[in-house]
Amino acid sequence: MLAYIVRRVINAIITLLVVTAVTFGIFFAIPKATGSDPALLYIGKQSDPAAIEGIRQKMGFDDPIYVQYGKFLKGLVAGRDYANGPDVTHCPAPCFGYSFATDQEVTPLLLEDIPVTLSLALGAAVLWLVMGISFGVISALRRGTFIDRAAMTTALAGVSLPVYFTGLLSTAIFVYWLGWLPQGQYVPFLENPADWFVNLILPWVTLAFLFAATYARLTRANMLETLGEDYVRTARAKGLTERVVIGKHALRSGLTPIVTVFGLDLGALLGGAVLTETVFNLRGLGYQALQAIRQNDLPIILGVTLIAAFFIVFANLIVDLVYGWIDPRVRLA
Amino acid sequence: MSIGATNARPFLEIKDLNVRFETDDGIVQAVTGSTFSLEKGQTLGIVGESGSGKSVTSLAVLGLHRTRSNAKVSGEIWLDDEELVTASDEQVRKLRGGKMAMIFQDPLSAMHPYFTVGSQIVEAYRVHHPGVNKKVARERAIDMLARVGIPQPERRFNDYAHQFSGGMRQRAMIAMALVNDPALLIADEPTTALDVTVQAQILDLIRDLQEEFGSAVIMITHDLGVVAELADEVLVMYGGKVIEKGPAVDVFQQPQHPYTWGLLGSMPRLDREVRDRLNPVKGTPPSLINLPQGCAFNPRCPYAGRNGDRSFTETPELRGDIHKVACHLPAEERTKIFQQEVLPNL
Amino acid sequence: MSENLLEVKGLEKHFPITKGLFKRQVGAVRAVDGIDIEVKSGETLGLVGESGCGKSTTGRLFTRILEPTAGTITFEGEDISHKSVTQLRPLRRDVQMIFQDPYSSLNPRHTVGSIVSAPLQIQNIPTPQGLKKAVQELLELVGLNPEHYNRYPHEFSGGQRQRIGIARALALRPKLIIADEPVSALDVSIQAQVVNLLDDLQREFDLTYVFIAHDLSVVRHISDRVAVMYLGKVVEVAERDELYKNPRHPYTVALMSAVPVPDPVRRDRAQRDRVLLTGDVPSPINPPSGCRFRTRCWKAQDICATEEPPLVVRLDDPASHQTACHFPVVEDEAVAGRRPAAAPA
Ligand SMILES: Nc1ncnc2c1ncn2[C@@H]1O[C@H](COP(=O)(O)OP(=O)(O)O)[C@@H](O)[C@H]1O
Ligand SMILES: Nc1ncnc2c1ncn2[C@@H]1O[C@H](COP(=O)(O)OP(=O)(O)O)[C@@H](O)[C@H]1O
Ligand code: SF4
Ligand code: SF4
Ligand SMILES: [Mg+2]
Ligand SMILES: [Mg+2]
């Protein structure tokens, strides 16, 4: 198992390196190649040439790409100093540089957004896992009955309705019409857990509805397949109770494919649930990314992209490890 | 456990067993009117080509069709004076893996890939011995692994099924089935997936274990050779029906049903001179959704026309004393055909 | 009859085992590890042995679907060991293969007509009567209804699908057909029908067969000559009757004695005579030194571990009967009861 873990971790690190290289290449090399001057973006077109030159020196825009990339990597890991002669600015690790638009350090900006995205994603994940898996299992066990058909029809609706539709609809109903829930606004958990919870209910449910639908269908299909497996028949032939047969033997393998999908979905969501955050006006990573794109704020876009990539790779690593733990054939291969 | 002196019911008695499946294509008549019995210490061989209803029969005995909503089982199954078709789910569950156990064809897919072989045996033991602690159960499992000839059982206890070779896996499966000393053991094609040399080892093991434990064994296979090796009594199935039944020696030496002749004629055998040609049954097995009228074998039977149209209108019943057959041909004519037309070509 | 259609010398196929990110080679599966054998024109050569002993790999080397790691393959006097795909094109006409699994070897989305006609089209074979007619003739030849030309494989039973595979193999009128377990997946009665069909076709078209199977009874029925394989080697080869009457290699003896005989009267004797092999076949990655069978052989002595027995004529066997064993089994011994008491190890 240890060798397996080490292999997966090394793999993840290599993947991250490749991702940073590619992303960096795209975001920094291309503007350069197309002749737009990043230094200009920092201080605007009307500035005097000396100031522009100063920025260029300080940010190292004249260095070859690989040198810039090296410095960028160092900034990520250990922090870096931007220096133009005596004018030194220290940017602590992980350093994503400075926003074009506001000159603010990118890292604290993003750090502020992460809890919002994290709350949204994790809360919704718990909800959709519980809903999706229970409905999936029940449907599989009661295949062809009314419950099965009702659950699967609802699931179909969940998969096909877009978030902005369900989101706006539920806001209209629960906030404006019934008045049961406040008009969404993020409240940090540590500030007031109850408010944090109440404000997130709608986004959670909306997001979870979308995913729970997929998970219910996936769980149902997997369970049906597993229930037909020879080893489930063996479990019954041993005289195990139906509870053990389903709960231990069938579920264990029926849910493994879910792990993979869950890892991918969660990783992607942690990078920012753009639509949901926008619909509910939550200022998370997705929202931040949208703003940055509008303003052409490359350092922030780069930061969000890398954080998203990090979450995805990390989630995948966890999936691989969980998989190895569940399935001895993977770990002992 | 013993057969009551007042009641002469055999240890296992199956009466008019019918199993039907409702499918989108129609009703599958997987088993029709199956009747047979078996005593402890005896081995019953069930032969027939794939789809003839062998596995469905054995799953019915274990009550494993109960979880299938599309399956309908009728008739009587008596195990040690207990009727199983009408018994409650819980009653049957308690017998499963306890008094009656089963070995399946493909031990790789029949074992759970995520649990160690040892833990699966322990689990089987503990459902039927609820009071027993893990340590005792573990020792019992290791004993069983050793008993079925698995070297280094303590070490192999912690291995997974995929780490075993095919033969060792089937041994482990047997250990799991025998862990509760079942009085009835059903082996459904236990050696079909194995090489002959390993098959010989496994058959040898089953024979030894039966001698040791005195259980009743049902050996299901499509290989007449395997049946001849083990069975005291043989039952030939075709199209979901028992078409011939009798003591093994009789069925192999004086087979009565044209289908059994066909099966024997299809097999090249090492104990005879090489024949120029094989004499297979022509055609293909029937669909169990649309069984032919009359005798289900009539489209493939070379003698179907010998009784006017009886073979096409009337289903032959299984008749006879010890050696029974379901065929309209008169007994003398059958014997004559076998001696003159069939035997010389075997 | 005596001319060699195909001949292999020192034939080897090692599949590399790689590890890690950089696919470092850490070993090799020695699937076929030094085989000398010939296939005579018009004969049926049977190839038997337990699963994993390299039968299929040998078959695929014969057809040059695989390229040998070492050794030579000569077809009609021409060395084809390392010919390129284009150079092999003419060979594809002469050598065809039939596979075990009639389910996976036919493309489910193609009609029977297009499956059977594909080889004709690929090789640009002119069909004077028209392609459809040619295919229908082939279907009829293998006992299928020619009107089923437009049906898909799933509409056929296992036995019928195997017939489709045979029709496809016959389309180019090959000289040599390698049949890899062609009847293993079929029910006995269907198996016999297909065996008879293969027999008839051989007579009609002067075919040469290499018949690969693990079932010794079927191999005996269909073969003129039989080679027994163990762990990538041929351990014994002889004319069919000679081999089954006088098996010399302990492995051949064990294999034959393990076959259950459909005669309950003889079962006690069969069981008494049976040589129960112990343990499993060793891994072809690290085969035992000397004689590969020695880990399971009841006759093994010290020399068996150090010296590999060559495949040569032993005792006073005919020249066509060769055995790779230092201590070949003699007649009386073969029938003497031996049931090793040792538990499987
Ligand atoms: N759960 C099921 N639903 C529908 N048909 C089934 C089911 N199980 C078995 N059958 C059908 O019953 C027939 C007998 O099957 P089986 O007993 O498995 O044959 P075999 O003699 O090869 O063991 C087959 O035609 C099979 O397709
Ligand atoms: N493509 C392959 N790559 C690696 N190993 C292979 C490959 N094909 C076959 N082998 C191995 O070679 C050995 C011989 O296989 P095969 O020729 O299929 O045996 P047989 O047909 O006698 O069962 C086996 O150990 C098998 O796992
Ligand atoms: S009843 Fe008629 S068709 Fe059936 S097996 Fe007897 S002779 Fe053949
Ligand atoms: S050479 Fe030795 S080990 Fe090999 S088969 Fe002969 S006697 Fe057995
Ligand atoms: Mg079956
Ligand atoms: Mg093979």
Side-chain angles (χ1 to χ4, degrees), chain A residues 238 248, chain B residues 114-124 141 157-160 176:
Chain A
K238 290 200 281 195
K248 183 176 168 189
Chain B
Y114 299 169
F115 302 115
T116 62
V117 166
S119 73
Q120 295 184 58
I121 301 178
V122 164
E123 188 183 35
F157 180 93
N158 294 314
D159 280 350
Y160 294 90
M176 186 157 86

Side-chain angles (χ1 to χ4, degrees), chain C residues 109-329:
Chain C
R109 277 180 292 277
H110 289 179
T111 62
V112 169
S114 63
I115 288 172
V116 175
S117 64
L120 293 170
Q121 289 177 312
I122 292 170
Q123 293 273 358
N124 277 324
I125 309 288
T127 42
Q129 350 74 305
L131 200 58
K132 183 170 175 188
K133 194 91 186 53
V135 169
Q136 289 185 325
E137 269 171 23
L138 282 165
L139 291 180
E140 204 156 2
L141 201 61
V142 298
L144 290 170
N145 186 342
E147 273 151 37
H148 292 168
Y149 182 88
N150 275 322
R151 294 204 178 173
Y152 289 88
H154 74 264
E155 298 175 72
F156 293 87
S157 69
Q160 288 172 321
R161 273 183 254 205
Q162 195 53 285
R163 288 173 194 266
I164 298 171
I166 295 173
R168 176 177 57 185
L170 277 179
L172 297 174
R173 295 286 135 86
K175 295 176 180 152
L176 175 63
I177 290 186
I178 315 283
D180 189 358
E181 310 255 10
V183 298
S184 305
L186 308 175
D187 271 315
V188 258
S189 70
I190 311 299
Q191 188 172 325
Q193 294 170 358
V194 173
V195 165
N196 281 351
L197 172 67
L198 287 173
D199 250 349
D200 296 341
L201 294 172
Q202 181 167 41
R203 249 164 263 181
E204 191 167 342
F205 298 107
D206 285 328
L207 293 169
T208 305
Y209 288 147
V210 173
F211 191 93
I212 299 173
H214 62 266
D215 183 329
L216 281 101
S217 330
V218 174
V219 166
R220 171 171 177 252
H221 177 85
I222 205 163
S223 309
D224 300 305
R225 224 150 49 88
V226 177
V228 181
M229 286 188 68
Y230 187 78
L231 265 184
K233 295 240 176 221
V234 171
V235 295
E236 185 164 10
V237 57
E239 299 285 324
R240 181 254 315 268
D241 291 334
E242 165 71 12
L243 184 84
Y244 282 80
K245 260 189 213 101
N246 293 320
R248 292 293 186 214
H249 198 283
Y251 178 63
T252 313
V253 172
L255 210 53
M256 283 180 190
S257 76
V259 178
V261 171
D263 184 354
V265 177
R266 292 181 30 140
R267 84 169 151 216
D268 288 341
R269 223 193 90 201
Q271 278 159 28
R272 205 163 8 88
D273 289 354
R274 181 153 301 153
V275 183
L276 275 189
L277 285 184
T278 55
D280 292 319
V281 184
S283 154
I285 298 166
N286 245 325
S289 64
C291 172
R292 296 183 174 199
F293 186 56
R294 70 179 162 82
T295 53
R296 305 166 83 196
C297 180
W298 70 96
K299 298 189 69 172
Q301 313 222 350
D302 292 347
I303 183 180
C304 303
T306 53
E307 214 168 288
E308 187 175 334
L311 183 70
V312 293
V313 177
R314 306 271 171 177
L315 308 172
D316 44 8
D317 286 338
S320 59
H321 187 173
Q322 300 174 324
T323 313
C325 171
H326 296 303
F327 308 102
V329 177

Side-chain angles (χ1 to χ4, degrees), chain A residues 230 233-234 238-239 248-249, chain B residues 93 109-110 112 120 123 128:
Chain A
D230 285 359
R233 187 184 57 191
T234 309
K238 290 200 281 195
K248 183 176 168 189
H249 290 249
Chain B
R93 180 191 69 74
S109 63
H112 204 295
Q120 295 184 58
E123 188 183 35
H128 297 283

